[in-house]
Amino acid sequence: MRVALLIMIFTLPLSTFVNSETISVGEYHIEYEIKGSGEATLFLEAGGSAGMQDWDSIYDDLAKHARVIRYSRVGNGKSTAIKKHFSSEDYAQGARALLAALGVKEKVTYIAHSYGAHVARTFAARYPERMAALMLIEPSSEHDVDIMRSLNLELAEEQIAQVKLDDMRNGMSNQYLDFWSKRPLPDYPQIPDIPVTVIASIKKYDNPPLLFFTDEARDRWGELHSNWAKAFPRGKAVLTEKSYHYPQNDEPEMVVKEVLALISRGYK
């Protein structure tokens, strides 16, 4: 079972018809869509293996206020299928190459969901000159398993071991290196002084299947991301009790509102 401490996917968003195009970036074909116009350019990074359909619920609304680019990483959506393992560093390089291929020269407001946060944090640290602002929505973290271990070390190790086995049985996704290698991700102050917003769910589960979903773990999850966001000079944390791992689906109006607020902070 793929569990939420990693990519937190119980069900993937339902795919809808997408008027996408493809562009050659190096040896790969990348699926993408561009819509809207405005002072800000939003660059949307999907979570897990969802592809760019991860943003269906808010894409059109965002495009009313800004130029919006969404895409599917290699191995996802209609982009080139791959067998090799990619890390967040590989994907960040790919994102930069995609923007160059699309002729995007301006800074972007990078909006990332779940595993996409790994990519966005790496991108922000490596290419600060390309960043106007950063939003992470329910970001997976290198500290996810630490939360479990802090609650019950013995049980946590048992559950984590099982998740690893399930991961391998499912073919080890391209996020495997980031999930399990425990390499530290870029952090404040490696990421430049830009406006940052983190949206994290602290909604409680009736029957938590893992330590990570217990009430105490949910509170620690919210505290972790709140502290991370507020470490930035222009950081903001939004903790929601109304949705689980897909605030953009369950609370689209809230997410759009926070994106617009982030744009405002980024273009003052």
Side-chain angles (χ1 to χ4, degrees):
M1 177 183 67
R2 173 75 66 186
V3 296
L5 74 154
L6 305 177
I7 56 175
M8 298 185 32
I9 295 176
F10 284 116
T11 57
L12 292 174
L14 294 177
S15 296
T16 58
F17 176 77
V18 176
N19 185 28
S20 64
E21 301 182 59
T22 59
I23 187 171
S24 295
V25 180
E27 61 184 301
Y28 304 113
H29 296 290
I30 304 299
E31 178 189 28
Y32 75 97
E33 184 179 9
I34 301 177
K35 190 173 185 178
S37 62
E39 182 181 16
T41 296
L42 309 183
F43 187 60
L44 309 186
E45 188 77 49
S49 57
M52 68 185 201
Q53 287 83 359
D54 205 8
W55 303 105
D56 283 351
S57 58
I58 62 174
Y59 183 71
D60 288 341
D61 286 336
L62 291 177
K64 296 175 183 177
H65 304 279
R67 183 188 186 200
V68 188
I69 303 169
R70 61 174 174 169
Y71 81 109
S72 298
R73 291 185 298 274
V74 290
N76 300 324
K78 297 178 183 178
S79 294
T80 300
I82 54 175
K83 294 182 179 179
K84 64 180 291 187
H85 295 308
F86 272 52
S87 68
S88 57
E89 288 83 1
D90 297 319
Y91 283 128
Q93 292 175 14
R96 181 174 181 268
L98 172 62
L99 290 172
L102 293 174
V104 178
K105 298 180 180 179
E106 66 271 22
K107 294 183 177 181
V108 300
T109 294
Y110 209 132
I111 302 173
H113 174 233
S114 190
Y115 170 74
H118 282 252
V119 181
R121 285 171 65 184
T122 301
F123 184 99
R126 280 197 171 188
Y127 313 114
E129 73 282 357
R130 301 309 313 271
M131 295 295 299
L134 174 66
M135 173 178 284
L136 307 181
I137 302 174
E138 273 291 279
S140 60
S141 166
E142 67 274 29
H143 300 298
D144 291 352
V145 293
D146 297 332
I147 291 175
M148 295 177 66
R149 291 183 175 120
S150 70
L151 297 176
N152 185 324
L153 181 59
E154 183 177 356
L155 180 57
E157 294 296 352
E158 178 183 328
Q159 292 182 346
I160 291 167
Q162 184 59 52
V163 171
K164 285 186 178 181
L165 288 174
D166 292 341
D167 253 8
M168 295 176 68
R169 189 176 299 114
N170 291 330
M172 291 201 308
S173 71
N174 284 318
Q175 294 82 43
Y176 187 89
L177 293 176
D178 287 317
F179 288 153
W180 297 118
S181 65
K182 293 296 289 181
R183 292 174 296 177
L185 284 169
D187 211 340
Y188 175 82
Q190 292 94 340
I191 296 174
D193 178 10
I194 55 176
V196 172
T197 297
V198 176
I199 299 176
S201 169
I202 55 172
K203 186 174 181 179
K204 303 302 192 294
Y205 290 77
D206 292 334
N207 298 295
L210 292 171
L211 280 170
F212 191 75
F213 300 111
T214 60
D215 290 358
E216 187 175 358
R218 294 287 79 211
D219 291 338
R220 293 192 185 188
W221 168 264
E223 182 180 4
L224 168 71
H225 291 300
S226 181
N227 290 340
W228 187 86
K230 291 177 181 178
F232 287 85
R234 289 183 283 172
K236 177 183 180 181
V238 178
L239 304 182
T240 177
E241 296 181 348
K242 296 181 180 180
S243 57
Y244 289 116
H245 193 50
Y246 290 93
Q248 69 268 37
N249 292 345
D250 298 332
E251 300 178 78
E253 293 181 357
M254 179 273 287
V255 173
V256 170
K257 177 182 176 181
E258 291 299 335
V259 171
L260 297 182
L262 181 64
I263 292 174
S264 177
R265 287 153 55 206
Y267 289 86
K268 286 185 178 180

